[in-house]
Amino acid sequence: MPLHPQAEAFLNQMAALGNPPMWTLTPEQARASFLALRALAGPPEPVARIEERRIPGSQAEIPVRLYAPPSDQPLPITLYFHGGGFVIGNLDSHDNVCRILANRTPTLVVSVDYRLAPEHPFPAAPIDAYDALQWTAAHAAELGGDPARIAVAGDSAGGNLATVAALMARNRKGKLPVFQLLVYPVTDVTHSQPSYEAYGTGYLLTKETMQWFLRHYVPADQDRRHPYLSPLFEKDLSGLPPAHIIVAEYDPLRDEGTAYARRLEAAGVTTSVSCYAGMLHGFFALTGLFDDASRALDESAAALRRAFGTLS
């Protein structure tokens, strides 16, 4: 369908601001710009309990933020990895998403502040993601959670880390999540999918910006088909948990998301896909701008409830 009117209005608003493209900025400038954009998400939704922690990882301490809705019983847990191209984003940039998922599912959300590039290039982020999953599984009870019902979730780069954490857990015989919620995930950093050419210019996230992210994240001598970088190239995806994948029509990452869904299905993994017509990359977190953001969050909460066995 044509670009959604809300998406078109947003692009016009961004163009009127005249800000320089992200790929021309330093990482520090890009991080500040990204946080300013996230302010458009709308007012924060109240949550019963929020707690900041630092958990031990195999290479570094990992800051996490817990969001807990009211409950007198152990809650299922959703481990959330924020987007931002592995270079930008933090616990604050996706605060609204975590609050909404906690309330609407309901679930205990553990938001993970993994290490960012260029200070910490690949494989620092996947290591932190895997470590956070294993720590959360081992300490679920003390957090007020149910260790038998842990899901991984994330958007964009965070979607990559969510599924890579699950893949690492399978390969290392660690604790597997019961479900994957992947929102326009990065699954192919070779940029070989057709949507990169169709929507790589003029729709907020550009091909040049993705190339800028990956120049910071991926070492020059690293094979970009490594499955912990590009899970689409993992030869065997069997044994991974069921997945729900959300993509946006006008997004350069659209085709790698749907291609990954096909690969999961072919490997026997129960997978569903939802494409938001007329929408842009990044819409999911901008609830103050896009009606479809709230719809996608409702859909995500319902998918988590089904996976946790709590759908009413």
Side-chain angles (χ1 to χ4, degrees), residues 126-178:
I127 290 170
D128 286 356
Y130 173 77
D131 288 348
L133 172 60
Q134 299 309 306
W135 184 92
T136 299
H139 295 82
E142 76 178 65
L143 300 177
D146 180 354
R149 294 185 295 165
I150 298 176
V152 290
D155 62 292
S156 196
N160 171 284
L161 295 175
T163 197
V164 166
L167 185 59
M168 293 174 74
R170 185 204 65 178
N171 292 348
R172 298 181 179 187
K173 302 190 186 311
K175 173 67 176 180
L176 269 172
V178 299

Side-chain angles (χ1 to χ4, degrees), residues 19-279:
N19 293 331
M22 185 172 288
W23 55 269
T24 67
L25 304 178
T26 66
E28 293 77 13
Q29 291 169 330
R31 288 165 187 163
S33 175
F34 189 61
L35 277 177
L37 176 64
R38 292 302 185 182
L40 301 174
E45 188 172 293
V47 180
R49 177 171 62 92
I50 295 179
E51 180 183 342
E52 308 276 350
R53 288 196 178 212
R54 300 183 71 87
I55 66 174
S58 59
Q59 294 187 347
E61 277 195 327
I62 307 166
V64 299
R65 182 179 293 165
L66 280 61
Y67 300 81
S71 178
D72 57 2
Q73 299 292 328
L75 286 161
I77 300 174
T78 301
L79 206 64
Y80 197 88
F81 302 97
H82 67 78
F86 310 99
V87 175
I88 61 179
N90 58 23
L91 298 179
D92 292 333
S93 65
H94 288 66
D95 179 69
N96 70 313
V97 167
C98 295
R99 289 169 179 265
I100 291 169
L101 287 177
N103 286 332
R104 294 188 192 178
T105 303
T107 178
L108 173 65
V109 174
V110 179
S111 182
V112 182
D113 199 14
Y114 55 88
R115 288 173 291 168
L116 298 177
E119 296 88 347
H120 304 284
F122 177 84
I127 290 170
D128 286 356
Y130 173 77
D131 288 348
L133 172 60
Q134 299 309 306
W135 184 92
T136 299
H139 295 82
E142 76 178 65
L143 300 177
D146 180 354
R149 294 185 295 165
I150 298 176
V152 290
D155 62 292
S156 196
N160 171 284
L161 295 175
T163 197
V164 166
L167 185 59
M168 293 174 74
R170 185 204 65 178
N171 292 348
R172 298 181 179 187
K173 302 190 186 311
K175 173 67 176 180
L176 269 172
V178 299
F179 189 67
Q180 307 177 78
L181 172 65
L182 312 177
V183 181
Y184 32 73
V186 176
T187 69
D188 177 4
V189 302
T190 69
H191 296 167
S192 59
Q193 303 298 319
S195 56
Y196 257 97
E197 299 308 318
Y199 306 116
T201 303
Y203 298 105
L204 189 62
L205 178 65
T206 67
K207 185 175 182 179
E208 286 177 306
T209 298
M210 281 301 299
Q211 291 171 338
W212 179 85
F213 284 141
L214 294 172
R215 282 196 300 272
H216 288 303
Y217 180 56
V218 185
D221 60 349
Q222 175 66 54
D223 179 6
R224 291 197 175 196
R225 295 190 173 213
H226 190 294
Y228 296 165
L229 268 174
S230 297
L232 185 61
F233 292 104
E234 166 62 36
K235 293 179 180 178
D236 178 13
L237 292 172
S238 64
L240 290 179
H244 181 61
I245 298 178
I246 291 175
V247 297
E249 181 182 9
Y250 286 81
D251 182 356
L253 304 189
R254 183 195 68 190
D255 289 349
E256 62 196 82
T258 55
Y260 191 58
R262 290 193 297 270
R263 285 286 324 281
L264 287 171
E265 288 176 327
V269 176
T270 301
T271 306
S272 54
V273 182
S274 182
C275 180
Y276 279 74
M279 277 290 107

